[in-house]
Every structure is written in C-alpha cells, then in structure tokens.
Amino acid sequence: MPTPQSVAFYTLGCKLNFSETSAIGRQFEDKGFAKVAFEAGADLYVINTCSVTDHADRKCRKVVQQALKHNPEAFVAIVGCYAQLKPQEIASILGVSAVLGAAEKFQLVDILVDFKKPAAGQPGAVHASPISEATEFVAAHSFGDRTRTFLKVQDGCDYSCSFCTIPLARGGSRSGSVASVVERVEKLAETGVKEIVLTGVNLGDFGLQGPERERREDFTQLVKALDGVSGIRRFRISSCEPNLLTDDILTTVAASERFMPHFHIPLQSGSDKILGLMRRRYRRALYAQRVARIKELMPHACIGVDVIVGFPGETDADFLDTYNFLNELPISYLHVFPYSERPDTLAPSLPGRVQDRVRHERTTQLRSLSEKKKRYFYEQHLGLETDVLFEDDVTDGRMEGFTPNYIRVAAKYDPLLVGEMKTLRLSAVNAQGLMEAEEVGILV
C-alpha cells in the first residue's frame, strides 16, 4: 500500500498503556502522519493490547474488525503485552498486518517503513524478540488525551506472582534516572499540565537502571525530588505494592502540597493462605499496617484496593476472610477481578479450581462492598471546601472533576472549567454515586 498519511490508535488496559500509546502517537506525528479519530477511517491503525485478564484474543479481534469496518484497506499493527505473549496467534487474525513485541513497539514507525500489507490469506509480519531483549527503559507520557498526564517512570517486573504474565510480557524491572524524570516533568510543566500520575508496572521498584539493571536509586528519592518541582500542581502515585510503600514515602506525601493523599495498593487476597499460593511478598498484617499508617498521617486519604477472587484453592472460608478483612479496613473503593487462567503461569496447575459461577458470585459481593465503601467515604467529606480539577469529558451537559483525595465531582458543563481548578463545597452524593458541589470560590 502507499505510505499511509493518517493514523488512529486504540488502547486496551492500564494507564501505562495509555502513556505508551500517546508516546508512539507523537512519533508518528513527528514523521508527518495526521493523528485522527478511530472512526475516521485511518490509513494505519495501531492497537495497544493488554493481557492481564482473559478475553485478550476476543478484544483484539473485535477492535481489528472495527478498524477494518472504517477502512477495509487499512494497515493494522498490534503492539502491547498480548502482542509479546502471542505474536503468531495475533498475526493469524484476519486483517492484522504486523505484530510488534515489547522490544520493538517504540520502533514501529521505523521498522515498518513501507507499511506493506500481507498478501491475501497470509499472516501478518511478526517483529517480536524474546522478552529477555527488552532491557531498555523507554520513557513515555500521555499528553492532550486527558486533563491528567500519565507519566511512565518504570517498566517491567522482577516479581513472580503465580497468576501474572506481566514479567513475560514486559520483561524485568527497569527505570530511568531521577534526574531524567525531573527533567521530563519540568518540560511538561511548561506546557501547562496541572496533574501528573506516576505510572509503572511495579512502581515502587523504581531505580534499576542501565544494561545491567543496577540498583542506583529508589522510589523514595524520586518522590522527594518531584515534590520540589514547583510547576506541577498535583502528583498522584498510580499503584504501589504494600511491601514497597515505605514509611518514608508516606511521610513525604503527608507533608507535601503537590503529592495527593490518594493511594492505590494491590491486596489481591485477604487470606494469608491464598497470598502464599499467589506468591505475594507480604501478608495481610503488613497490609493493615500500611493502611493504618496512611490514615494516621492523612485521615482524609483515599485508598483503593485491587482484589482477585476465585483463585485456585480459595474456599468459602478463605473468601469470607477476604470479605471481612476488607470490610473492617478504612479503605475507599475496590477494583475486583475474577481470577482468570493465564497461559505459562503456575496458578492454573494448582488444585482447587473455583467454578466460574462462584467466581462471579464473589466478584458481585465485593463490588457491592466497594460501592458501600465508596459512598461512606464520600459522605465523610460532605461540607468540605476543596479544590476540584475538572476533566474535559462532557456527557449530557455534565462534566466531572476530582478532588485531591480522588472524590469524583459532577457539575454543569462550563467550557471555562475544562482543565481548571475551582474551590467548591462538597454538598451531596447523587443517585449516580458522584459528589455534587456548591460554588464558594473563584478559579485558581
């Protein structure tokens, strides 16, 4: 096909994927491509995939079909975790032109210079090295897609949780330097960015650098350095393992005017037995200590929790342990995932498979608990005057924004509020579970 002139993107998965999609998009724009909406019928489609949960194959096929619906002649390239894990499988999907692995995805625009589609009936081209070759840290950040900027500061993981494919999909833990991250943040500040979300696969493991992945710095040093960058109003820590969320980090955030009192801490199970089977590096007592310390230092802090239910060997008693543990913790919301078998992991070989029906029932119970926790957390803040940073998403004449501690606030659409902060008084929780607010101040 002729060299394409327009490119569109679709991202599945996490904040880290969004930051990388945005970075790849800027590479294409630098080469003269026009970045267009997905439905615009682009010459080239880039689909960034995820493999954390099941149905990765189905989701990828669906997006490919939709891309070709908008332009049957489009060149379709697949990148991301699923592309690294199953490149040949993806290449055989009808309409896929090329698949790029973890070590190649940031070279897409250069590797596929001529963007030649495979002949009819032939699989797409595969450019996927073994994951051991993904040793370079490639910086990335989202920009222009949302009010908040997702800033990638770490990649890969050296942990070996029995349910997870991420080390196989992204390689070992690696980072840039504190100085390089500070420099990127200072440049983002010059563009008017107000909030940056620090992202990574295992964010708390920040500091492994260079070809040998030597431990040169740590996440605490990064947090303290960024706290001194005056051009950014807000920083958020996207997610941090409880065993890596040190007291030094917590006290730094508590004393900071820039780091928000908002933490997302993976738990996965409230049963020590299941945590052991999962090969997690902590037990519930440490998790409870971290939550208690956060609330001691920052009583208004928002705490989100990741939980997996239906893991092999999880009995009704084990699930009840998890439910009761979460119910008693002063947390704010849950992200609940039914366990899904991932190829090339240890967990599927463990005894005690939990029926899909039971997984679904347990997921429903914890999601109901999450709604109760979230509403209670919101109600504890009624009457509080706080700054709200508004997003640029508008639905039915309404827009939304976030307080420092991640309470989602709904307001009537005002174009002057997009990307701005306003001091409001939190007044009521509406039927949709969003906070309503009253005006008490001026734009800041």
Side-chain angles (χ1 to χ4, degrees):
M1 65 179 290
T3 301
Q5 299 299 311
S6 61
V7 59
F9 296 86
Y10 193 92
T11 305
L12 296 161
C14 60
K15 294 180 178 67
L16 185 59
N17 270 9
F18 277 100
S19 72
E20 293 183 337
T21 297
S22 190
I24 294 171
R26 289 190 294 277
Q27 292 178 344
F28 276 92
E29 290 177 299
D30 289 344
K31 292 286 188 177
F33 287 73
K35 187 177 176 181
V36 301
F38 189 88
E39 64 273 15
D43 299 315
L44 167 65
Y45 282 91
V46 180
I47 302 170
N48 195 352
T49 62
C50 175
S51 68
V52 172
T53 58
D54 58 359
H55 305 311
D57 173 73
R58 180 177 60 80
K59 291 176 180 178
C60 184
R61 288 177 186 273
K62 179 72 171 180
V63 180
V64 170
Q65 290 170 0
Q66 291 302 306
L68 296 175
K69 178 180 177 181
H70 295 303
N71 180 7
E73 300 304 317
F75 186 99
V76 179
I78 312 295
V79 300
C81 292
Y82 183 43
Q84 176 65 39
L85 292 172
K86 301 290 182 180
Q88 302 296 338
E89 181 178 303
I90 298 173
S92 67
I93 295 175
L94 184 65
V96 169
S97 305
V99 182
L100 287 84
E104 292 81 17
K105 60 186 171 185
F106 287 104
Q107 305 168 36
L108 190 158
V109 73
D110 295 318
I111 290 176
L112 305 176
V113 177
D114 52 4
F115 295 96
K116 291 181 179 178
K117 294 188 66 174
Q122 295 299 309
V126 173
H127 303 268
S129 304
I131 194 59
S132 58
E133 295 187 22
T135 58
E136 179 185 0
F137 174 76
V138 181
H141 68 268
S142 64
F143 185 76
D145 305 308
R146 303 186 180 191
T147 301
R148 290 169 287 161
T149 289
F150 300 136
L151 178 66
K152 173 186 170 185
V153 300
Q154 185 273 340
D155 200 353
C157 186
D158 291 337
Y159 287 9
S160 55
C161 299
S162 61
F163 56 83
C164 186
T165 60
I166 294 300
L168 301 175
R170 283 188 170 270
S173 180
R174 56 201 187 275
S175 318
S177 65
V178 169
S180 67
V181 175
V182 169
E183 181 180 2
R184 288 160 57 202
V185 167
E186 289 174 340
K187 290 180 179 178
L188 284 170
E190 294 173 358
T191 69
V193 167
K194 290 184 173 63
E195 179 172 313
I196 290 178
V197 182
L198 304 181
T199 66
V201 174
N202 190 352
L203 192 57
D205 199 34
F206 173 91
L208 296 170
Q209 300 164 20
E212 304 303 320
R213 299 194 301 118
E214 300 172 356
R215 173 68 65 188
R216 299 177 183 174
E217 295 169 310
D218 61 32
F219 189 53
T220 304
Q221 290 172 285
L222 177 64
V223 170
K224 290 182 175 180
L226 291 178
D227 194 40
V229 180
S230 59
I232 300 296
R233 296 288 297 274
R234 291 179 172 184
F235 287 101
R236 292 189 193 273
I237 298 171
S238 63
S239 180
C240 188
E241 294 286 302
N243 53 302
L244 298 175
L245 190 59
T246 64
D247 196 69
D248 206 2
I249 293 172
L250 297 181
T251 54
T252 299
V253 173
S256 173
E257 294 183 357
R258 297 187 180 91
F259 272 86
M260 298 296 97
H262 173 210
F263 299 88
H264 196 90
I265 316 171
L267 170 65
Q268 311 307 7
S269 177
S271 161
D272 281 344
K273 183 193 92 175
I274 299 301
L275 287 173
L277 292 173
M278 289 178 167
R279 293 187 171 180
R280 301 294 284 168
R281 300 193 178 195
Y282 55 86
R283 295 298 180 263
R284 55 187 273 168
L286 182 143
Y287 195 95
Q289 291 168 8
R290 292 291 187 269
V291 171
R293 181 59 170 158
I294 290 170
K295 285 298 186 177
E296 175 189 350
L297 294 169
M298 295 161 276
H300 292 303
C302 177
I303 303 175
V305 183
D306 285 341
V307 192
I308 297 172
V309 296
F311 190 81
E314 184 187 68
T315 64
D316 289 342
D318 297 326
F319 173 71
L320 188 60
D321 271 351
T322 294
Y323 188 97
N324 290 336
F325 181 64
L326 291 167
N327 190 39
E328 294 166 4
L329 285 178
I331 56 176
S332 311
Y333 64 89
L334 306 171
H335 285 170
V336 187
F337 305 92
Y339 168 73
S340 59
E341 288 79 1
R342 312 306 300 143
D344 302 317
T345 62
L346 173 66
S349 67
L350 296 175
R353 182 186 185 278
V354 177
Q355 295 180 1
D356 291 345
R357 174 186 56 80
V358 175
R359 299 184 205 185
H360 176 73
E361 291 171 353
R362 293 174 182 174
T363 299
T364 300
Q365 291 181 59
L366 283 188
R367 286 178 178 168
S368 177
L369 177 62
S370 178
E371 288 302 312
K372 294 176 184 176
K373 287 280 189 180
K374 181 179 176 182
R375 189 172 189 91
Y376 178 77
F377 177 68
Y378 278 26
E379 290 174 344
Q380 298 305 107
H381 293 79
L382 291 174
L384 178 71
E385 293 183 11
T386 186
D387 291 338
V388 178
L389 174 60
F390 282 95
E391 302 282 305
D392 57 1
D393 294 330
V394 181
T395 304
D396 297 328
R398 303 282 283 175
M399 63 192 303
E400 297 175 3
F402 289 94
T403 66
N405 60 344
Y406 210 59
I407 292 174
R408 188 185 293 268
V409 177
K412 181 180 178 181
Y413 171 64
D414 182 345
L416 293 179
L417 285 180
V418 174
E420 299 293 338
M421 288 191 195
K422 193 167 188 177
T423 302
L424 299 173
R425 180 183 295 111
L426 307 181
S427 58
V429 182
N430 65 25
Q432 289 73 44
L434 303 178
M435 183 69 79
E436 299 284 345
E438 302 170 346
E439 185 169 349
V440 295
I442 60 174
L443 287 175
V444 292

